[in-house]
């Protein structure tokens, strides 16, 4: 892009433009997944709706591919593209809280750290992601699973309204006082319809929780995972609980369990059962603030090379637990994990017709997550992840995966299966209305209906 073209883009924005010759370029093009190394022609740091519309117009005029960046966490690296224009929302991170009406209004580039900081000041929360640097909008549009899922549903179930700038530059309101179909699509259908500059969420009173981490180590990890499974499927709506199977540095199996209990008891029966499971090495569960709970998992940004793949499953039978443990035992480095997210509780009670998210009937979301530092391990790490996901496949509830965790090489059939044919077609019709030329295709894509 010529200096004159860049000057034109700079002149059309209230925000900033970062080009390859600028000093912040390498930081600004970096995303969470260090496997992704792309060099956009320019990064438009938008400041408001008008900037987003101007960036779309510029991309159209110059025939540039568009990528949209929120928190930069999507493992596919869709937030950055070679030679194209990045619509970067990192200047738009304000979160306002209406404590009386229990509503939060978040700008389109806010992270969960921004969101929780603002809402917890009023003793309120919405079920969000478990890592503070993840983008609020990106996570919500893919569904959203976290420490309050059993209590209050998927993140997208708590999205009340949004304002979206379409690729044509129009500002559209999604919600009961705007386009209700667009709100339905944003609740799980991904970043396919426009750039959201404002999102409104329902908030819930959440102060202290009984939470933290239980660590099980060694040969009894399989048995501990069976106890976790039994606890999760029978748990009350006040007890969210996810688990992570991995290895320690000596390649012994490790199971981490992350309960988050919001009820009144000092030791609910679910926690008692988990505490008595074999192999418990460290009991880090205590009464703590929800903010502390949200800081339990704090991986460094942009260091790891990540490759993820998984399946929603209707159940977690012993055979599947054995298969997962066998996969963990094949690791040659501590470079892989299996995340087990329970979907019990509120996600099952929400009107399934209210959101595009198509996976709430599953019992668990299972994800093989390869993560390593050494580039020479790329091939092995990717293969380990694929083989581990293949071991889950016989129990898959739909054949589809969680779009928030999908790599860019997933075929469209996996995206379609994540929603089911009927919802996918409905999303395609919505896409045809708001993005008929598929400008927003660098995502878990829903092509417009012809
Ligand atoms: C360390 C880590 C922890 C995670 N934890 C969780 C978790 O606890 N729960 C969970 O459900 N998921 C989790 N995820 C997955 C995460 O929710 C998705 O990858 C999500 O897409 C990330 O959004 P982002 O804005 O950070 O990423 P980006 O890569 O910036 O954006 C991803 C995509 O979202 C869309 N998008 C982002 N912002 C906007 C916007 N304002 N308007 C329109 N489209 C937009 C775009 O299509 C973009 O390509 C995690 C991922 C990582 C790497």
């Amino acid at each position: 892009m010529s200096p004159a073209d860049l000057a034109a883009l700079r002149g059309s924005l209230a925000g900033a433009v970062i080009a390859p010759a600028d000093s912040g370029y390498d930081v600004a093009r970096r995303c969470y997944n260090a496997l992704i190394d792309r060099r956009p022609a320019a990064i438009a740091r938008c400041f408001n709706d008008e900037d987003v519309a101007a960036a779309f117009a510029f991309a159209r005029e110059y025939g540039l591919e568009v990528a949209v960046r929120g928190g930069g966490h999507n493992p596919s690296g869709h937030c950055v593209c070679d030679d194209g224009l990045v619509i970067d929302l990192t200047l738009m991170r304000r979160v306002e809280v209406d404590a009386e009406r229990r509503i939060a209004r978040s700008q389109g580039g806010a992270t969960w750290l921004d969101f929780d900081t603002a809402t917890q000041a009023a003793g309120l929360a919405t079920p969000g992601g478990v890592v503070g640097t993840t983008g609020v909008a990106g996570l919500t549009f893919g569904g959203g699973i976290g420490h309050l899922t059993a209590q209050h549903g998927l993140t997208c179930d708590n999205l009340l309204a949004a304002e979206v700038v379409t690729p044509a530059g129009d500002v559209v309101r999604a919600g009961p006082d705007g386009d209700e179909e667009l709100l339905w699509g944003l609740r799980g259908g991904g970043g396919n319809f426009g750039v959201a500059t404002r999102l409104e969420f329902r908030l819930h009173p959440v102060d202290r929780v009984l939470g933290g981490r239980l660590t099980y180590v060694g040969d009894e990890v399989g048995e501990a995972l069976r106890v976790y499974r039994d606890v999760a499927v029978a748990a009350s709506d006040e007890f969210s609980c996810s688990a992570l199977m991995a290895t320690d540095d000596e390649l012994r199996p490790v199971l981490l369990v992350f309960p988050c209990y919001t009820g009144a008891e000092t030791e609910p029966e679910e926690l008692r059962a988990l505490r008595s499971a074999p192999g418990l090495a460290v009991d880090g569960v205590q009464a703590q603030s929800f903010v502390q709970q949200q800081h339990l998992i704090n991986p460094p940004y942009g260091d790891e090379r990540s490759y993820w793949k998984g399946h929603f499953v209707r159940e977690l039978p012993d055979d599947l637990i054995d298969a997962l443990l066998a996969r963990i035992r094949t690791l040659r480095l501590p470079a892989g994990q299996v995340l087990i997210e329970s979907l019990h509780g509120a996600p099952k009670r929400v009107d399934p017709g209210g959101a595009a998210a198509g996976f709430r009937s599953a019992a668990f979301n299972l994800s093989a997550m390869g993560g390593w530092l050494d580039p020479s391990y790329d091939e092995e790490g990717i293969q380990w992840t694929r083989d581990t996901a293949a071991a889950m496949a016989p129990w898959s509830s739909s054949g589809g995966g969680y779009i928030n965790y999908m790599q860019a090489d997933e075929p469209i059939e996996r995206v379609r299966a994540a929603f089911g044919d009927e919802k996918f077609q409905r999303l395609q019709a919505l896409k045809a209305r708001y993005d008929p030329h598929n400008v927003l295709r660098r995502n878990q894509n829903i092509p417009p209906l012809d």
Side-chain angles (χ1 to χ4, degrees):
M1 195 181 296
S2 74
D5 297 338
L6 275 174
L9 180 60
R10 285 199 167 99
S12 66
L13 298 186
V17 173
I18 303 173
D22 294 331
S23 60
Y25 179 76
D26 282 330
V27 174
R29 70 185 181 86
R30 195 165 170 225
C31 57
Y32 182 86
N33 185 357
L35 268 185
I36 313 295
D37 181 17
R38 301 202 184 108
R39 305 184 64 82
I43 298 166
R45 284 241 158 112
C46 296
F47 189 67
N48 52 30
D49 290 6
E50 291 74 23
D51 279 7
V52 175
F56 272 130
F58 187 86
R60 205 165 40 244
E61 190 181 338
Y62 288 82
L64 296 173
E65 188 184 356
V66 169
V68 178
R69 183 193 185 89
H73 267 238
N74 199 281
S76 60
H78 283 319
C79 66
V80 62
C81 54
D82 277 326
D83 305 319
L85 182 68
V86 175
I87 298 183
D88 178 321
L89 301 166
T90 50
L91 294 180
M92 300 178 65
R93 291 173 54 176
R94 200 171 55 246
V95 179
E96 286 163 2
V97 176
D98 181 340
E100 210 162 294
R101 294 177 59 214
R102 293 191 182 159
I103 287 175
R105 294 187 185 84
S106 163
Q107 282 190 302
T111 64
W112 286 103
L113 185 59
D114 303 323
F115 193 92
D116 292 334
T117 304
T119 58
Q120 276 290 280
L124 299 167
T126 214
V130 302
V131 171
T133 46
T134 314
V136 169
L139 180 140
T140 304
F141 295 159
I145 304 168
H147 291 307
L148 294 174
T149 301
Q151 287 89 341
H152 302 300
L154 304 174
T155 311
C156 69
D157 296 334
N158 292 273
L159 180 68
L160 298 172
E163 272 171 39
V164 170
V165 180
T166 69
D170 301 321
V171 180
V172 183
R173 185 162 170 88
D177 54 348
D179 185 341
E180 291 199 62
E181 182 70 1
L182 181 56
L183 179 62
W184 172 86
L186 293 175
R187 288 176 172 164
N192 271 287
F193 311 106
V195 170
T197 50
R198 256 175 298 278
L199 299 92
E200 287 178 26
F201 290 92
R202 181 186 304 117
L203 297 173
H204 309 269
V206 180
D207 183 9
R208 291 182 77 70
V209 304
L210 195 53
R213 178 191 292 128
L214 298 161
T215 306
Y216 306 83
V217 183
D219 290 338
E220 288 168 315
V221 152
E223 189 48 38
L225 186 52
R226 286 170 174 58
V227 173
Y228 162 80
R229 181 254 338 260
D230 294 344
V231 165
V233 295
S236 80
D237 289 12
E238 292 175 322
F239 196 89
S240 280
C241 198
S242 61
L244 192 67
M245 194 160 41
T247 63
D248 64 10
D249 289 343
E250 294 160 36
L251 297 179
R252 289 181 304 173
V254 171
L255 179 71
L256 307 175
V257 175
F258 302 96
C260 181
Y261 172 68
T262 50
E265 292 179 52
T266 51
E267 190 180 36
E269 63 173 289
E270 293 92 339
L271 184 57
R272 267 199 306 280
L274 288 170
R275 280 181 162 150
S276 57
L280 182 63
V282 185
D283 182 344
V285 172
Q286 58 182 4
Q288 58 188 19
S289 71
F290 180 64
V291 171
Q292 278 173 297
Q293 179 75 10
Q294 288 289 80
H295 280 89
L296 268 180
I297 307 166
N298 261 335
Y301 189 94
D303 288 355
E304 263 196 359
R305 307 167 79 79
S306 312
Y307 191 88
W308 298 357
K309 194 175 175 80
H311 286 276
F312 291 102
V313 293
R314 277 209 186 84
E315 53 174 350
L316 189 54
D318 289 354
D319 287 355
L320 177 50
I321 288 177
D322 293 344
L324 296 178
L325 193 54
R327 290 300 308 154
I328 284 289
R329 289 190 190 278
T330 65
L331 279 166
R332 202 171 54 82
L333 296 173
Q337 307 176 330
V338 176
L339 177 64
I340 303 149
E341 291 169 304
S342 174
L343 295 168
H344 70 276
K348 304 269 187 291
R349 292 187 229 302
V350 171
D351 168 17
F359 52 83
R360 63 181 79 242
S361 63
F364 295 95
N365 182 27
L366 297 187
S367 307
M369 296 177 148
W372 57 94
L373 299 174
D374 181 356
S376 71
Y377 192 75
D378 285 356
E379 205 178 312
E380 194 174 335
I382 290 170
Q383 197 56 49
W384 179 86
T385 308
R386 287 181 176 154
D387 290 347
T388 305
M392 301 166 182
W395 288 274
S396 181
S397 54
S398 67
Y402 184 31
I403 68 164
N404 268 350
Y405 298 166
M406 273 189 188
Q407 300 296 143
D409 59 5
E410 292 277 16
I412 188 168
E413 290 73 32
R414 283 264 291 163
V415 182
R416 181 191 293 272
F419 296 100
D421 287 344
E422 199 181 316
K423 280 187 169 176
F424 194 74
Q425 257 204 2
R426 189 170 157 188
L427 285 166
Q428 285 188 284
L430 189 63
K431 176 79 168 178
R433 276 173 54 210
Y434 284 112
D435 185 18
H437 305 297
N438 209 359
V439 172
L440 295 166
R441 60 183 172 278
R442 196 162 266 282
N443 47 31
Q444 283 74 24
N445 195 234
I446 294 171
L449 206 60
D450 292 332

